[in-house]
Amino acid sequence: MNNKAERLKQMAPPAPQNGQEYGDRLPPGQVLTERFPILHEGEVPEYDLSVWDFKLFGEVEQARSFNFDEFMKLPRTKVVCDIHCVTRWSKFDTEWEGVLFKDLLKLLDVKPTANYVMVHADNDYETNVPLEDLMRDDVLLATHYNGEPLTKKHGFPMRLIVPHLYFWKSAKWIRGFEFMKEDRPGFWEQNGFHLYGDAHKEQRFSGEPLDIPEDEWVHKDFD
């Protein structure tokens, strides 16, 4: 698992597709696909929604948690966005439904010292995102994709969607947000991936040239 960044560096570049027909919509080094590749580490979790919960803690005046029924009663929003995976695929016009992060934040008293969020997910996964980035109008805690509940492989019952960052930041199977004073790296960030991950700046890896691609996704399962 921890050698994924090294494997990516050894792959040959794909033919570039971010030409004039896409303008700036397709980030550099990405390949456009109609598929929805399924990539993750570890087993797909099984859930009993009667005991599932989602926790908000850290730099907040009072920690809070939601069970699944409580979460599903929060104001809901649909977002249509493009998504970009560090493994070099992009998919346009994906439709998600769930709770905007900024709407969830209204239910918390976040301390002014909170600048970053660690996203906690099952399979002991973590990824870090600046709080400011999560406040964008298209950042969603998604429970539905294309009008249907998420499938297990795509993150059921809930995943994060952060469209402007590489898709490893859009963690599947999320279970909590930890509000933090200082940034700290999550799982992939500790294993060679970029701390921030801006897709349009091609921030794939930390301290490495940006012409490092992978076409491994072509051989993965997909919807």
Side-chain angles (χ1 to χ4, degrees), residues 53-187:
D53 63 0
F54 187 80
K55 294 180 171 62
L56 305 163
F57 60 100
E59 292 297 302
V60 295
E61 295 298 338
Q62 184 173 357
R64 185 155 185 193
S65 66
F66 295 87
N67 63 36
F68 190 71
D69 289 339
E70 289 170 337
F71 186 84
M72 293 299 289
K73 292 176 182 177
L74 297 178
R76 300 181 64 76
T77 300
K78 288 185 179 180
V79 167
V80 176
C81 61
D82 302 340
I83 56 177
H84 313 288
C85 183
V86 71
T87 59
R88 302 246 170 210
W89 61 265
S90 291
K91 184 173 175 62
F92 287 171
D93 297 319
T94 62
E95 181 185 292
W96 306 89
E97 181 182 332
V99 177
L100 290 173
F101 177 90
K102 66 178 185 178
D103 287 343
L104 183 67
L105 203 66
K106 295 173 184 177
L107 304 177
L108 288 177
D109 189 0
V110 177
K111 296 179 180 180
T113 51
N115 296 306
Y116 299 92
V117 174
M118 183 64 77
V119 181
H120 292 270
D122 277 324
N123 287 336
D124 295 322
Y125 184 81
E126 296 179 336
T127 191
N128 57 306
V129 184
L131 177 57
E132 182 180 6
D133 285 75
L134 295 174
M135 295 297 294
R136 292 169 57 127
D137 291 338
D138 57 359
V139 174
L140 195 72
L141 286 72
T143 59
H144 287 66
Y145 172 71
N146 273 355
E148 299 291 337
L150 293 175
T151 63
K152 293 179 181 180
K153 290 183 178 181
H154 282 301
F156 172 86
M158 190 167 73
R159 72 174 299 159
L160 183 63
I161 300 298
V162 189
H164 64 292
L165 302 181
Y166 281 122
F167 214 44
W168 90 78
K169 298 287 187 178
S170 296
K172 300 177 182 181
W173 311 306
I174 59 175
R175 299 299 300 274
F177 290 149
E178 177 187 356
F179 293 82
M180 307 184 298
K181 294 180 182 179
E182 305 292 339
D183 200 9
R184 77 171 191 262
F187 176 80

